[in-house]
Structures are given as structure tokens and as C-alpha cells.
Amino acid sequence: MNSIFSSLQKIGRAFMLPIAVLPMAGILLGIGGAFTSGPLIETYNLTFLASGTLANQFLQMCFNAGLFVFANLPLLFAVGVAIGMANLNKETAALAAVLGFLLFHTVIGTLLGFQGITPDSVTVDALLAAGKSPAEAAGIASMYAHELGIFTLQTGVFGGISCGLLAAYITNTFSNKQLPDYLAFFSGNRLVPVMTMLYFIPLAFIFPLIWPTIFQAIVHAGEAFSSMGYIGSFLYGSVMRLLNIFGLHHAIYPLFWYTELGGVQEVGGQLIAGGQKIFFAQLADPSVTHFSSEATRTMTGGFLPMMFGLPAAAFAMYRCAEDKNKNKIKGILFSAALTSFLTGITEPIEFTFLFVAPALYAVHAVLEGLSYMLMHMLDVAVGITFSRGLIDFTFFGLLQGTAKTSYQWILILGPVYSVVYYFLFSFLIRRFNYSTPGRNEAENKLYTRKDVNEQKESGLTEAIVEQLGGIENIENIDACITRLRVTVKDASLVASDEVWRSLHAKGVIRSGNGVQIIYGTQAEIYKNQIIAHYGI
């Protein structure tokens, strides 16, 4: 179980790299799509944005710049996963991923040609002419696609992840190999491309044999999730919030956003798989009158708790604090609430009460699940790039209009969620005397930039490494938005939670040799300082 946790944690961390590209791409796509919309231009008489104008051409460029990212997600995942999973020589892993990805699909395309399968023979019309039923024709056609112009199997993001994992394995295994003198030129990093060619050709041979079965299983799993209806949306929202405790949500939600698990829909004459991909394909299609809430059911539900619920919870914690401490904790709670509202990054608030009052987090998870269910029931379809704050709500809700998104329900139910969170948190904190900030001698210091600079000068990063058992005990170190994610060789050498609190950590999560230290938005900075200082 511990090894599974560690592996999922590492995979989730690897997924974060390609996903980090999406917010900017989504914003470009959203702005370009919104302000080149014919109805918008006509309704508000925005003649300076009309077709053919310089402004329109610039927005079209923004639109296409964003669209190409979503069109090439498999390659981005191949490179991102390879970099994330490689222990050393990450740049070599990235090259291996690109080389392997191209080789993988080239070989598959060649094998399909040997079987007489061509782009023309697997169109829906061609399959119908061959006697297939409409359902069979659509199912068969959906298994094929083009990747960077190569006709191949529709392996999508799963294919990219597979290529990335294999590229990382090859890099980890061969990048430090020393060959005999007569082959010394190919030692080390230069051996990786050679082994990439040797490993990826067999992988490409195997995929046409196993992928149709795997593909159908994934499609059926997605159909099963869809058949669960509103209950499925509730379970997804609640479970993902609970997985967030362990940082494992990053390993799960991309499968719903970018693969058939999140559904398959026809958009603009093409079959699109994955909830987020469907949303952005519809965003790019001016003929779509209302975005699909089936596609966004794994995204939209987060707006109510993130924009309205958790800020109200922060206010409840402030009101429940002892009077003498209110001025001290006001800054940190306001900052955390604003972060949640604007960006949808919730961990600064959540980790102020997770460890001192787990029951509050359980209530939060249930309320989030209810939000996902309500948004699905009300046909609200506001997509996201990364999180559910005001920024994404503006670009993919407000700018797209109520006709396409039904975003008005978020504004209607948002204040209701604020009231529910405020009174529930206030009641539970007082009833059970939870040690939230400002109560029962709980830590109530607001860390400023000056404090962080003082910590750097006093050797905080060296202290972190020391309490992890020393640099020789660190096998791998990385960070997500708020957590240092470390794999250690001997978990018994890692310091106690009390020691970590003295080093200003908000919490620690352990499983086997995996350790996550919650440092808020400074986590990435500490990781970079440790890597630079120790030459990891």
C-alpha cells in the first residue's frame, strides 16, 4: 500500500507539469473565443472587433495559440511525465519522450497500413457503407486519430503517459551506464536515444493488439460513471476533496479531464474524449448553443466552495478566535480567503483546520460533493483550466454568457453556500472547541515576506534537509503548489510533526517513504533552494 501511495504521489506530481501549461492556453482560448463571437459583436455593436479588423486578427491569433495546446496534449503529457518521473538527467528524459512519442505513432501507423486500415477506410461513412451499424461505425472510427499528422490509434493522453513513463524508465536505467571503450561515445546520456529506439518499437508493436480492448474498457468505465448521474457527481466531488489531503487528486482528475473516462462527445464533426477537452472543443465551436454539463461535471462543482464557501469558513474562524488574537490572525485568514476566491487554491485555508479539526474537513468534503451534484442538476457548464476561482469564472463563465453556461446559478447559490459554511463552521468550532487559529493557544502568526527572508538567512532550507534525515536520506524531492513532496530512503529518520511545526510547516503527511510537508506557496521556493544548495 505504501509503495502504491508513493507511486501515485510521484505520478500526480509528474502530471502537474503539463497541466501547468493549460491556464494560459485556456485564457487565450477563452478571450479569443469570447471576443470574436459574432453574436457578442452584433449585440454590443463592437465594430472594432468585427471580422477583418486588426483587433479581430489578433484575437484569432490568441484563439489559435490556445487551441494548439489542447490539440497536442498527448505529446505534452509524454514530455511532462518523463521529466517528472526521471530521477536524474531530466532534459535527456524529455528528448527521449519526444523521440519515443514520434516513433511510437509512426510504427503504429505503419502497422495499421499493413492491415489495410487507412484514414479513408475508418471514417463513419466508409464503415456504414461496409455494412456496420451507426453505433458500430462510430465506435470503430473513434479508435483512430492523427497525432502530429501521423495516422495512428486514438491512444490520446493515455498514450502520452505511457510514452512518458517508458522514457523516464529508460533514462533512469541507462543514462549513467558506462560502455566499453570501443563504444564509449554512446555511454551515459547518449545511450538513452539508442535504447529509446530499441524499447519503443516493441511497445508500438504491442499496442495495436491490446489497445482496442483497453480502449473499450475505458469507454465503458466512462459510460458507467455517466450512468451514475447526479450521485456520481456527488461522489466525485467528495472523494476528490478527500484525496486532496494526500495530494493524490493530481493523479486522478486528469484521467477524467483528458481521456474517455470523462466521456466522449461529437463536437464540430469530431469525437472528443475527456471533460475538459470537450469543453474547450465546444468553446472553439461557434455553433454550440450551450456547453455540455456532462463534460464539465468534474469541474464546475468547485466554484461554490472555493469562491464562496471557504472564504466564509475563514471568516467563521476569525469570528471564533479569542478577541486578543483577532488582529494577529486577521491577515493570514484574509490572505487565504482571497487566494481561494481569486485563484481557487484552497490549501492555505484547508490546512489551517485539517489537522486540528478533521471533522470540519469531512463536512467540507460533503458540501463540495453536494456542489458538484447541484451544478450538474442545474445544467451549469463553466469550464476551468486549473482551478475554480474568480479568474476562471470570469473567462469561462461571465465572458461566455448565461446562454452557454448557465453561470447565474453560481452567483445565486454562492451566497447560500457562504451562509451554510459560516454557520456550520462557527457552530462546530464553538461546540467542540476546535483549536483553529486564534483559539486555545493555536499558532496565529502571519508569515510575511520579511519573515521568509529571515528564515532563509537563518538556514531554514538546511534545517528542512537535516530533519529529513540529511541529504543522503533524500531519494527524490519535488513540490506542487503548497507541498514539498519528498521520497526518503529511511522514513524513521524524518523528524516528528512537532519539529516540523517549529520549522513553520502547516502539516505533514506520511505514507511509507513518501513525506509531504505543507509549506503553502513557499514550497516551490524551498525545493529550488535545496536543489541549488545541495546540487541535487
Side-chain angles (χ1 to χ4, degrees), residues 328 331-332 335 443-455 460 500-506 519 521-522 526:
K328 298 177 184 177
I332 190 170
S335 175
E443 185 179 26
N444 51 39
K445 179 173 174 57
L446 170 64
Y447 290 100
T448 64
R449 183 173 297 277
K450 178 182 177 183
D451 294 319
V452 172
N453 291 334
E454 289 174 355
Q455 290 170 5
L460 178 61
W500 287 113
R501 279 194 288 272
S502 74
L503 294 175
H504 314 307
K506 293 180 173 65
Y519 267 116
T521 53
Q522 297 300 319
Y526 295 157

Side-chain angles (χ1 to χ4, degrees), residues 22 29 66-77 101 142 145-147 153-160 215 253-268 270-285 288 291-292 294-299 383-385:
L22 302 183
L29 189 60
L67 186 62
F68 103 93
V69 173
F70 291 94
N72 292 287
L73 276 179
L75 176 60
L76 296 179
F77 268 85
F101 183 85
S142 68
H146 285 82
E147 290 289 355
L153 287 171
Q154 172 67 281
T155 61
V157 167
F158 274 117
F215 181 83
Y253 73 77
L255 303 181
F256 288 89
W257 287 11
Y258 309 123
T259 77
E260 287 74 10
L261 275 178
V264 179
Q265 293 187 30
E266 183 177 335
V267 184
Q270 291 187 323
L271 287 172
I272 309 296
Q276 192 185 65
K277 290 175 68 178
I278 292 170
F279 172 77
F280 280 106
Q282 292 183 334
L283 186 66
D285 186 351
V288 174
F291 302 136
S292 169
E294 280 292 321
T296 63
R297 63 189 295 203
T298 59
M299 294 176 272
I384 67 171
T385 54

Side-chain angles (χ1 to χ4, degrees), residues 13-15 17-18 75-85 97 164:
R13 186 172 63 235
F15 284 172
L17 186 58
L75 176 60
L76 296 179
F77 268 85
V79 176
V81 168
I83 293 172
M85 297 298 287

